[in-house]
Amino acid sequence: EPPTHLLAEVLTCQRDTPSLDLSLTLDGQRLYGFDFPGSRWLPALPDLPPLPPDLETPAELRLDVKLCQDVLGWLGPQASRVLPEARGTPVAQVFPALPPALGEANTLVCLVENVFPPALDITWTRGGVPVTQGVTQGPFTPTPELTFWTLSHLEVTPERGDVFACLVTPQGYNTSVVTYWVPPEPLEVPELPMVLCGAAMALGGVLGLLGLSLLLLSRTDPQGTFWGIPRGGGRRSLKS
């Protein structure tokens, strides 16, 4: 049975920021996003071809947007009185884009999932100090589970003792989800003299045991005499 895929076009309108978003996704991966000021679809990846302009005209999309905003303005206040507000608890993880090494430029990625509604702030700290330079954040991408995910990037050059943190704060809340990342320490390699000293001591021990074994073997004759004393007891001469 061939695998199934989900191609979805999701329009989001809300009172929080971003107030309006339209995306075309495949299996929860963003392919295109609609630029409302420019009235055009923008590819999420540079290798994607442009969408045909007559696939959905800007006028048709504006009708959908007006319907969404009208429903939000009318149904929102009514539903808030009788229905609990749907909220998701964000889940974040931080990882480097490249294998980390102290003193080498890298990019930290903060992946935030289980986002609903798509309205939250992502900030970074380094050693407890807020960082704003080198920070970028991607759009919110809908998933087949009706939640959203997003990415935030931080350009860094990690040093020994650094502690980075990604703070995710849903809009309108005073609590944040905090995820830390610490650059790994390089493996300590023993100094060469100590390695040679240890190898010499081990070799000396092996040679010592070997010499003792040869000495014991050399003092044993074919008749079973060991150190000049017959095995059978009594005394006898070693010469015939």
Side-chain angles (χ1 to χ4, degrees):
E1 188 173 317
T4 58
H5 299 280
L6 177 62
L7 181 66
E9 182 179 302
V10 179
L11 173 63
T12 304
C13 59
Q14 58 184 1
R15 293 184 177 88
D16 296 321
T17 303
S19 60
L20 192 62
D21 182 76
L22 177 61
S23 62
L24 185 64
T25 64
L26 177 63
D27 296 337
Q29 298 297 319
R30 192 181 187 97
L31 299 180
Y32 297 89
F34 192 77
D35 174 29
F36 285 97
S39 297
R40 57 177 179 168
W41 287 96
L42 298 178
L45 301 174
D47 295 336
L48 290 176
L51 283 180
D54 55 350
L55 183 64
E56 233 176 346
T57 64
E60 293 173 326
L61 293 177
R62 280 192 286 270
L63 289 176
D64 294 338
V65 170
K66 186 177 185 307
L67 175 61
C68 182
Q69 292 174 337
D70 290 344
V71 171
L72 177 66
W74 172 78
L75 185 60
Q78 302 296 325
S80 62
R81 302 172 186 174
V82 294
L83 296 177
E85 185 178 10
R87 288 275 179 178
T89 302
V91 178
Q93 55 178 315
V94 179
F95 51 89
L98 301 174
L102 296 180
E104 295 186 7
N106 208 327
T107 300
L108 290 184
V109 181
C110 185
L111 169 62
V112 186
E113 299 176 291
N114 197 42
V115 177
F116 191 86
L120 50 78
D121 299 316
I122 302 177
T123 56
W124 292 86
T125 63
R126 183 176 189 172
V129 179
V131 179
T132 56
Q133 188 173 4
V135 176
T136 57
Q137 182 172 338
F140 293 96
T141 300
T143 70
E145 292 77 22
L146 301 180
T147 62
F148 294 80
W149 64 268
T150 186
L151 294 173
S152 179
H153 299 85
L154 173 64
E155 304 295 331
V156 298
T157 301
E159 302 293 344
R160 188 185 300 271
D162 275 340
V163 178
F164 296 93
C166 175
L167 294 82
V168 179
T169 307
Q171 293 183 15
Y173 280 67
N174 294 325
T175 58
S176 301
V177 175
V178 184
T179 305
Y180 296 94
W181 184 83
V182 178
E185 293 287 340
L187 296 176
E188 296 293 339
V189 179
E191 295 183 1
L192 183 59
M194 295 183 63
V195 174
L196 295 179
C197 181
M201 292 180 63
L203 181 60
V206 173
L207 293 178
L209 292 175
L210 180 60
L212 180 59
S213 301
L214 293 176
L215 178 61
L216 294 177
L217 290 175
S218 67
R219 300 298 298 273
T220 304
D221 64 12
Q223 284 75 28
T225 304
F226 181 74
W227 289 85
I229 301 176
R231 292 182 185 273
R235 301 178 63 86
R236 63 184 178 90
S237 174
L238 297 179
K239 296 183 180 180
S240 56

